[in-house]
Amino acid sequence: MTQRSSAPAGPAPWRVLPAPVPPSPDHRDAWALHGSAAVSREADLDTYGHDDLALTAQYLWAKLQEQDYARRVRLVAVPADVPDPGPDDVVGSASVVLPRRSNHHVAHVAVAVRPAVRDGGSGSALVEAAEAIATAGGRSTVILESEHGGEPAEGTPGAMEPASGAGRIAADDPGAALCLKHGYALEQAARYSVLTLPVPPDRLAGLRAAATERAGADYRLVTWQDRAPQRWVDDWARLETRMSTDEPQAGLDLEEDPWDADRLRRYEQDIAASGHTYLLVAAEHVPTGTLAGFTMVQLQVDRPAPVFQEDTIVVGEHRGHRLGLLMKAGLLERLRELRPEARRVHTWNAEENAFMLGINVALGFRPAGVAGVWQKRLA
Ligand SMILES: CC(C)(COP(=O)(O)OP(=O)(O)OC[C@H]1O[C@@H](n2cnc3c(N)ncnc32)[C@H](O)[C@@H]1OP(=O)(O)O)[C@@H](O)C(=O)NCCC(=O)NCCS
């Protein structure tokens, strides 16, 4: 791999191209996905000191297969003077997602660059290429996420507060510097937290018992793995739709994202294709036979330790019964049986989401970093 430590004058040192979409992750055209996976791993080791969150080539491949609900492009930056690049030539990588069923004005972008080539212009080249795809796709708003290993303490020089007013990001972190350089505004900070497993069983049982008492006899937990029982699919879709509006969104220009049974079945297929399995715990409101909320995690099939928290919601009319805590404690108990080797649960919550953070802190999650959510209106 050619390494450049500063942006030279003259012809652009990097070429940005869309990753080919190969028929399988083992195909020779998957070089860009393997390169992107290596970038993700190096960037995460630099940011967090671990690679639990690193994206695998199989995951990246599975994401690109799903083009019905969003147009998805994976971009890679390679040295301009390498005509036939391979995985080791990929110095940076970006995902561009243009939703197709709602939010037709939005493009979601995430960028990562190998630490050894930072400040060499590849991050900027990827942002510019992603914005060009957004513009060509008729999008007016780009939402970009940056990842940071730690949240600066209040009063730290150079710490930025998001428009939401909650949380802080170090403005001189590479991800923040890239967003600022390209005219993005920091809308939100999301706390990254980790729960070390196993949670002491008596502690978990105590939390669950208190939440069960508060919830009362009108609610009971329902659990499934990898395929939702037909009975619950429409209800789960209703909850996913509500998730798109009920989670705090600061000043992000996002509208409701509708889910239905077909989309959930496709989601289940994509989880399996990406090398993951999922576990979901929902709360049934017994008198009406409907779901009041759910919480879900994904696990890698061939890597036992990390667990990835996905959505959690209790719909407004059922809040205040400790269902969030009840479902999450129930899920952790089920997880202990299903995957006793699990060691860490990773989650992100908006810093202004006091309700969700309160539940997570009670369960034992501890802060491990922060993500910035940035927004830019394209001219
Ligand atoms: C986070 C969430 C699941 C917690 O719901 P919950 O389990 O019902 O919360 P609790 O029972 O612990 O509620 C405690 C109190 O806060 C209130 N409350 C909980 N969430 C609330 C919210 N989002 N807005 C306003 N009040 C809320 C409850 O009414 C209750 O008040 P009370 O004690 O005066 O009756 C729920 O707020 C939610 O679904 N939020 C939207 C989706 C979301 O943000 N998910 C997390 C994304 S990371």
Side-chain angles (χ1 to χ4, degrees):
M1 182 177 67
T2 315
Q3 294 192 353
R4 314 186 182 208
S5 57
S6 62
W14 313 113
R15 185 158 68 93
V16 174
L17 61 156
V21 183
S24 82
D26 306 323
H27 193 273
R28 68 177 300 276
D29 285 351
W31 64 269
L33 303 184
H34 288 279
S36 298
V39 170
S40 169
R41 185 167 179 278
E42 281 186 25
D44 278 5
L45 285 172
D46 187 63
T47 305
Y48 303 118
H50 65 74
D51 65 357
D52 272 10
L53 308 169
L55 306 174
T56 64
Q58 186 178 354
Y59 173 88
L60 296 169
W61 172 81
K63 281 277 163 203
L64 290 178
Q65 304 306 304
E66 199 296 286
Q67 297 286 343
D68 291 341
Y69 293 95
R71 177 167 172 234
R72 300 170 197 276
V73 182
R74 169 70 40 190
L75 295 172
V76 290
V78 299
D81 55 5
V82 174
D84 186 17
D88 292 347
D89 296 308
V90 176
V91 296
S93 174
S95 88
V96 187
V97 176
L98 311 186
R100 290 194 202 270
R101 305 292 172 105
S102 66
N103 291 288
H104 295 112
H105 59 294
V106 175
H108 296 276
V109 175
V111 177
V113 168
R114 290 193 202 254
V117 298
R118 289 210 178 127
D119 297 334
S122 59
S124 283
L126 285 161
V127 170
E128 285 158 16
E131 290 180 358
I133 292 174
T135 303
R139 310 293 159 135
S140 56
T141 301
V142 181
I143 296 176
L144 213 160
E145 293 205 11
S146 61
E147 294 182 71
H148 311 269
E151 185 164 354
E154 202 172 347
T156 306
M160 287 181 72
E161 272 200 11
S164 68
R168 281 168 301 278
I169 304 259
D172 58 357
D173 257 20
L178 183 69
C179 292
L180 289 168
K181 179 177 165 192
H182 289 272
Y184 285 76
L186 180 61
E187 296 292 343
Q188 196 176 47
R191 186 189 305 173
Y192 163 45
S193 313
V194 179
L195 175 66
T196 302
L197 299 178
V199 178
D202 49 346
R203 190 147 166 269
L204 203 51
L207 287 168
R208 177 160 173 176
T212 303
E213 193 181 331
R214 177 75 180 259
D218 277 357
Y219 297 95
R220 70 173 167 222
L221 296 186
V222 180
T223 306
W224 66 82
Q225 195 189 344
D226 292 337
R227 187 168 168 87
Q230 197 56 35
R231 166 169 185 203
W232 296 121
V233 184
D234 290 336
D235 241 24
W236 181 19
R238 174 178 57 83
L239 297 179
E240 285 288 5
T241 304
R242 292 282 291 272
M243 186 76 205
S244 70
T245 53
D246 288 13
E247 196 178 6
Q249 288 176 343
L252 296 170
D253 184 10
L254 289 168
E255 60 189 32
E256 183 178 277
D257 183 24
W259 284 73
D260 60 16
D262 288 346
R263 185 170 176 186
L264 280 177
R265 290 302 186 207
R266 178 69 210 230
Y267 179 45
E268 289 178 326
Q269 272 177 34
D270 293 338
I271 290 172
S274 73
H276 290 74
T277 175
Y278 84 83
L279 175 64
L280 189 149
V281 172
E284 178 188 1
H285 181 237
V286 180
T288 54
T290 58
L291 296 185
F294 78 96
T295 187
M296 170 179 171
V297 295
Q298 285 195 41
L299 310 159
Q300 260 168 274
V301 170
D302 59 4
R303 218 175 160 208
V307 181
F308 311 101
Q309 176 71 53
E310 305 290 332
D311 291 344
T312 299
I313 186 169
V314 174
V315 286
E317 52 273 34
H318 294 289
R319 285 189 193 143
H321 301 283
R322 300 291 184 273
L323 295 179
L325 184 57
L326 179 63
M327 296 186 307
K328 289 195 85 163
L331 185 142
L332 290 169
E333 287 181 344
R334 182 75 191 90
L335 184 64
R336 196 172 48 208
E337 296 158 16
L338 181 76
R339 178 73 71 91
E341 318 91 312
R343 287 294 168 267
R344 295 170 290 282
V345 186
H346 301 277
T347 195
W348 282 260
N349 312 108
E351 283 283 7
E352 66 272 31
N353 197 346
F355 303 109
M356 192 72 253
L357 286 168
I359 291 168
N360 285 344
V361 168
L363 286 165
F365 279 88
R366 295 289 169 259
V370 63
V373 191
W374 306 74
Q375 180 167 258
K376 177 179 176 177
R377 312 276 177 189
L378 296 177

